Amino acid sequence: DTAVSQTPKYLVTQMGNDKSIKCEQNLGHDTMYWYKQDSKKFLKIMFSYNNKELIINETVPNRFSPKSPDKAHLNLHINSLELGDSAVYFCASSAYPGGGEQYFGPGTRLTVT
Amino acid sequence: QQQVKQSPQSLIVQKGGISIINCAYENTAFDYFPWYQQFPGKGPALLIAIRPDVSEKKEGRFTISFNKSAKQFSLHIMDSQPGDSATYFCAARSSGRRETSGSRLTFGEGTQLTVNP
Protein backbone atom coordinates (compact mmCIF):
# COMPACT_ATOMS: atom_id res chain seq x y z
CA ASP A 1 0.00 0.00 0.00
CA THR A 2 1.36 3.41 -0.99
CA ALA A 3 1.53 5.71 2.03
CA VAL A 4 1.22 9.01 0.12
CA SER A 5 -0.05 8.91 -3.44
CA GLN A 6 -0.40 11.66 -6.00
CA THR A 7 -2.12 11.89 -9.35
CA PRO A 8 -1.17 12.50 -12.01
CA LYS A 9 2.54 11.72 -12.05
CA TYR A 10 3.10 13.80 -15.16
CA LEU A 11 1.16 16.82 -16.36
CA VAL A 12 1.91 18.65 -19.59
CA THR A 13 -0.26 21.62 -20.41
CA GLN A 14 -0.26 24.97 -22.13
CA MET A 15 0.01 28.41 -20.62
CA GLY A 16 -3.28 29.80 -19.41
CA ASN A 17 -4.85 26.45 -18.65
CA ASP A 18 -6.18 25.35 -15.24
CA LYS A 19 -5.07 22.06 -13.73
CA SER A 20 -5.41 20.09 -10.51
CA ILE A 21 -3.19 17.65 -8.65
CA LYS A 22 -4.64 15.24 -6.12
CA CYS A 23 -3.01 13.72 -3.05
CA GLU A 24 -4.10 11.04 -0.62
CA GLN A 25 -2.40 9.60 2.45
CA ASN A 26 -3.35 6.42 4.27
CA LEU A 27 -1.09 6.93 7.28
CA GLY A 28 -3.74 8.46 9.51
CA HIS A 29 -1.71 11.67 9.72
CA ASP A 30 -3.29 14.96 10.70
CA THR A 31 -1.07 17.25 8.65
CA MET A 32 -0.49 17.46 4.92
CA TYR A 33 1.74 19.70 2.81
CA TRP A 34 2.41 20.86 -0.71
CA TYR A 35 6.02 21.48 -1.70
CA LYS A 36 7.43 22.81 -4.94
CA GLN A 37 10.78 21.50 -6.19
CA ASP A 38 12.33 23.65 -8.88
CA SER A 39 14.81 22.69 -11.57
CA LYS A 40 17.69 23.16 -9.11
CA LYS A 41 15.98 20.67 -6.78
CA PHE A 42 15.28 23.31 -4.14
CA LEU A 43 12.35 22.24 -1.97
CA LYS A 44 10.04 25.00 -0.84
CA ILE A 45 6.90 24.63 1.21
CA MET A 46 3.78 26.14 -0.30
CA PHE A 47 0.88 25.13 1.95
CA SER A 48 0.08 23.01 4.95
CA TYR A 49 -3.23 21.76 6.30
CA ASN A 50 -3.91 20.31 9.73
CA ASN A 51 -7.18 18.45 10.09
CA LYS A 52 -8.57 20.22 7.03
CA GLU A 53 -7.54 23.65 8.32
CA LEU A 54 -5.03 25.77 6.39
CA ILE A 55 -2.13 26.51 8.73
CA ILE A 56 0.71 27.49 6.41
CA ASN A 57 0.25 29.67 3.37
CA GLU A 58 3.61 30.79 2.02
CA THR A 59 4.06 33.60 -0.44
CA VAL A 60 2.45 31.81 -3.33
CA PRO A 61 0.51 33.43 -6.19
CA ASN A 62 -3.21 33.28 -5.53
CA ARG A 63 -3.53 31.29 -8.74
CA PHE A 64 -2.64 28.35 -6.51
CA SER A 65 -5.50 27.18 -4.35
CA PRO A 66 -5.26 24.16 -2.08
CA LYS A 67 -8.24 22.30 -0.77
CA SER A 68 -8.55 19.60 1.85
CA PRO A 69 -11.91 17.78 1.75
CA ASP A 70 -10.82 15.59 4.68
CA LYS A 71 -7.59 15.04 6.56
CA ALA A 72 -6.53 12.21 4.25
CA HIS A 73 -6.79 14.27 1.08
CA LEU A 74 -5.16 17.46 -0.12
CA ASN A 75 -5.62 18.81 -3.61
CA LEU A 76 -3.91 21.64 -5.43
CA HIS A 77 -5.63 23.63 -8.12
CA ILE A 78 -3.66 25.97 -10.31
CA ASN A 79 -5.35 28.61 -12.47
CA SER A 80 -3.94 30.39 -15.49
CA LEU A 81 -0.76 28.33 -15.61
CA GLU A 82 2.49 30.15 -16.42
CA LEU A 83 5.83 28.89 -17.70
CA GLY A 84 7.38 29.51 -14.28
CA ASP A 85 4.98 27.04 -12.71
CA SER A 86 6.88 24.19 -14.33
CA ALA A 87 8.32 22.15 -11.48
CA VAL A 88 7.81 18.97 -9.52
CA TYR A 89 5.10 19.28 -6.89
CA PHE A 90 5.28 17.03 -3.87
CA CYS A 91 2.57 16.23 -1.41
CA ALA A 92 3.69 15.15 2.04
CA SER A 93 2.14 14.27 5.37
CA SER A 94 3.19 14.12 8.99
CA ALA A 95 1.58 13.08 12.23
CA TYR A 96 1.34 16.67 13.46
CA PRO A 97 2.26 20.18 12.26
CA GLY A 98 5.95 20.50 11.59
CA GLY A 99 6.49 16.83 12.28
CA GLY A 100 10.07 16.16 11.29
CA GLU A 101 9.24 12.80 9.81
CA GLN A 102 7.36 13.80 6.74
CA TYR A 103 6.29 11.22 4.22
CA PHE A 104 6.47 12.43 0.65
CA GLY A 105 4.49 11.32 -2.34
CA PRO A 106 6.15 10.40 -5.64
CA GLY A 107 5.69 13.89 -7.03
CA THR A 108 3.86 15.39 -10.00
CA ARG A 109 6.05 16.78 -12.74
CA LEU A 110 4.23 19.75 -14.22
CA THR A 111 5.43 21.10 -17.55
CA VAL A 112 3.86 24.25 -18.89
CA THR A 113 4.50 24.96 -22.57
CA GLN B 1 16.42 34.23 2.64
CA GLN B 2 17.98 30.83 3.04
CA GLN B 3 17.97 29.79 6.68
CA VAL B 4 19.75 26.49 6.13
CA LYS B 5 22.86 26.51 3.95
CA GLN B 6 24.10 23.21 2.57
CA SER B 7 27.39 22.31 0.92
CA PRO B 8 28.74 21.02 -1.33
CA GLN B 9 26.23 21.26 -4.12
CA SER B 10 27.63 18.08 -5.65
CA LEU B 11 29.96 15.38 -4.43
CA ILE B 12 31.69 12.50 -6.17
CA VAL B 13 33.10 9.71 -4.04
CA GLN B 14 34.67 6.37 -4.82
CA LYS B 15 33.04 3.21 -3.58
CA GLY B 16 34.12 2.53 -0.03
CA GLY B 17 34.98 6.15 0.66
CA ILE B 18 33.43 8.56 3.14
CA SER B 19 30.87 11.10 1.95
CA ILE B 20 30.50 14.24 4.03
CA ILE B 21 27.78 16.83 3.57
CA ASN B 22 27.63 19.95 5.69
CA CYS B 23 24.85 22.26 6.76
CA ALA B 24 24.77 25.51 8.70
CA TYR B 25 21.84 27.35 10.18
CA GLU B 26 21.17 30.70 11.79
CA ASN B 27 17.87 30.31 13.62
CA THR B 28 18.52 29.18 17.18
CA ALA B 29 14.85 28.27 17.48
CA PHE B 30 15.38 25.19 15.32
CA ASP B 31 14.83 22.09 17.43
CA TYR B 32 15.03 19.12 15.09
CA PHE B 33 17.43 18.39 12.25
CA PRO B 34 16.51 15.63 9.77
CA TRP B 35 18.30 14.48 6.67
CA TYR B 36 16.29 13.37 3.68
CA GLN B 37 17.43 11.19 0.76
CA GLN B 38 15.90 11.55 -2.67
CA PHE B 39 16.40 9.17 -5.57
CA PRO B 40 15.65 10.31 -9.15
CA GLY B 41 11.95 10.31 -9.87
CA LYS B 42 11.02 9.73 -6.22
CA GLY B 43 9.97 11.86 -3.31
CA PRO B 44 12.41 12.62 -0.47
CA ALA B 45 12.49 10.09 2.35
CA LEU B 46 13.69 10.55 5.91
CA LEU B 47 17.14 9.04 6.38
CA ILE B 48 18.24 10.03 9.88
CA ALA B 49 17.55 12.87 12.30
CA ILE B 50 19.02 14.47 15.40
CA ARG B 51 17.94 16.80 18.18
CA PRO B 52 20.23 19.60 19.41
CA ASP B 53 20.81 18.03 22.82
CA VAL B 54 22.82 15.25 21.17
CA SER B 55 26.19 15.73 19.45
CA GLU B 56 26.15 12.60 17.33
CA LYS B 57 23.72 10.00 16.09
CA LYS B 58 24.63 6.90 14.15
CA GLU B 59 22.42 4.54 12.20
CA GLY B 60 24.32 1.91 10.26
CA ARG B 61 26.67 3.63 7.83
CA PHE B 62 25.03 7.02 8.35
CA THR B 63 26.11 9.41 11.10
CA ILE B 64 24.98 12.93 11.93
CA SER B 65 27.44 15.15 13.77
CA PHE B 66 25.92 18.20 15.45
CA ASN B 67 27.76 21.26 16.74
CA LYS B 68 25.27 23.47 18.54
CA SER B 69 27.69 26.30 19.35
CA ALA B 70 28.79 26.56 15.73
CA LYS B 71 25.22 26.04 14.47
CA GLN B 72 26.43 23.37 12.08
CA PHE B 73 25.59 19.76 11.43
CA SER B 74 26.85 17.23 8.95
CA LEU B 75 26.01 13.87 7.45
CA HIS B 76 28.74 11.26 7.14
CA ILE B 77 28.21 8.22 4.95
CA MET B 78 30.78 5.56 5.71
CA ASP B 79 31.76 2.91 3.16
CA SER B 80 29.79 4.75 0.48
CA GLN B 81 28.11 2.50 -2.08
CA PRO B 82 26.85 3.17 -5.61
CA GLY B 83 23.34 2.62 -4.26
CA ASP B 84 23.84 5.69 -2.05
CA SER B 85 23.93 7.89 -5.16
CA ALA B 86 21.07 10.31 -4.62
CA THR B 87 20.32 13.88 -3.62
CA TYR B 88 20.60 14.56 0.09
CA PHE B 89 18.79 17.36 1.88
CA CYS B 90 19.41 18.62 5.35
CA ALA B 91 16.51 20.32 7.06
CA ALA B 92 15.68 22.10 10.25
CA ARG B 93 12.42 22.50 12.09
CA SER B 94 11.39 25.66 13.84
CA SER B 95 10.26 24.93 17.36
CA GLY B 96 6.84 25.44 18.78
CA ARG B 97 4.00 23.52 20.29
CA ARG B 98 2.99 20.68 18.06
CA GLU B 99 -0.43 22.19 17.70
CA THR B 100 0.76 25.52 16.39
CA SER B 101 0.79 26.49 12.78
CA GLY B 102 4.25 27.96 12.65
CA SER B 103 6.20 24.76 12.95
CA ARG B 104 7.67 23.72 9.62
CA LEU B 105 10.71 22.22 7.97
CA THR B 106 13.20 24.43 6.16
CA PHE B 107 15.33 22.52 3.68
CA GLY B 108 18.90 23.08 2.52
CA GLU B 109 19.62 23.39 -1.18
CA GLY B 110 20.51 19.72 -1.60
CA THR B 111 23.69 17.80 -2.44
CA GLN B 112 23.89 15.52 -5.45
CA LEU B 113 26.02 12.55 -4.35
CA THR B 114 27.54 10.22 -6.91
CA VAL B 115 29.37 7.13 -5.72
CA ASN B 116 31.53 5.62 -8.44
CA PRO B 117 31.98 1.84 -8.48
Side-chain angles (χ1 to χ4, degrees):
Chain A
D1 263 350
T2 304
V4 181
S5 58
Q6 291 178 232
T7 55
K9 187 163 177 63
Y10 300 97
L11 194 50
V12 181
T13 189
Q14 292 184 328
M15 286 176 56
N17 285 348
D18 303 338
K19 290 294 178 185
S20 292
I21 307 171
K22 295 186 176 183
C23 177
E24 177 181 1
Q25 56 95 3
N26 63 8
L27 297 166
H29 287 167
D30 285 349
T31 309
M32 296 184 73
Y33 311 82
W34 278 113
Y35 286 89
K36 179 180 180 180
Q37 186 171 51
D38 61 23
S39 58
K40 295 185 178 180
K41 296 209 169 181
F42 186 64
L43 269 170
K44 182 172 170 50
I45 190 168
M46 300 173 67
F47 303 102
S48 178
Y49 273 77
N50 186 54
N51 274 324
K52 302 192 296 177
E53 178 186 354
L54 180 66
I55 58 172
I56 293 176
N57 186 350
E58 289 295 281
T59 307
V60 177
N62 57 16
R63 298 182 294 103
F64 290 78
S65 52
K67 188 171 183 180
S68 181
D70 56 63
K71 74 174 191 177
H73 295 84
L74 180 62
N75 303 322
L76 182 66
H77 188 76
I78 315 171
N79 290 323
S80 303
L81 278 156
E82 300 178 357
L83 292 176
D85 298 332
S86 296
V88 180
Y89 293 84
F90 286 101
C91 175
S93 73
S94 64
Y96 52 88
E101 184 161 15
Q102 295 186 8
Y103 291 79
F104 284 77
T108 295
R109 180 173 293 277
L110 172 65
T111 303
V112 182
T113 62
Chain B
Q1 95 220 38
Q2 184 60 35
Q3 293 191 55
V4 180
K5 294 190 176 181
Q6 183 172 345
S7 62
Q9 191 173 18
S10 63
L11 180 62
I12 299 175
V13 174
Q14 290 299 118
K15 178 181 176 182
I18 302 173
S19 304
I20 302 174
I21 304 170
N22 301 299
C23 283
Y25 63 97
E26 298 176 357
N27 187 350
T28 56
F30 289 145
D31 69 347
Y32 178 77
F33 300 86
W35 284 87
Y36 280 76
Q37 180 187 55
Q38 183 181 24
F39 292 106
K42 305 290 186 184
L46 180 66
L47 183 63
I48 186 173
I50 196 167
R51 295 188 184 277
D53 54 348
V54 176
S55 61
E56 184 175 284
K57 183 173 182 180
K58 183 176 181 179
E59 288 183 3
R61 296 184 294 108
F62 300 90
T63 300
I64 300 178
S65 296
F66 188 85
N67 186 330
K68 188 174 181 178
S69 60
K71 292 188 282 187
Q72 295 175 347
F73 58 111
S74 59
L75 176 70
H76 296 235
I77 306 175
M78 310 299 288
D79 188 25
S80 299
Q81 299 296 312
D84 297 331
S85 297
T87 301
Y88 292 81
F89 295 93
C90 63
R93 183 184 68 189
S94 54
S95 62
R97 294 184 303 116
R98 53 187 284 171
E99 299 83 6
T100 64
S101 63
S103 192
R104 69 189 65 190
L105 285 183
T106 299
F107 285 86
E109 301 97 324
T111 296
Q112 176 69 53
L113 172 66
T114 302
V115 181
N116 289 327

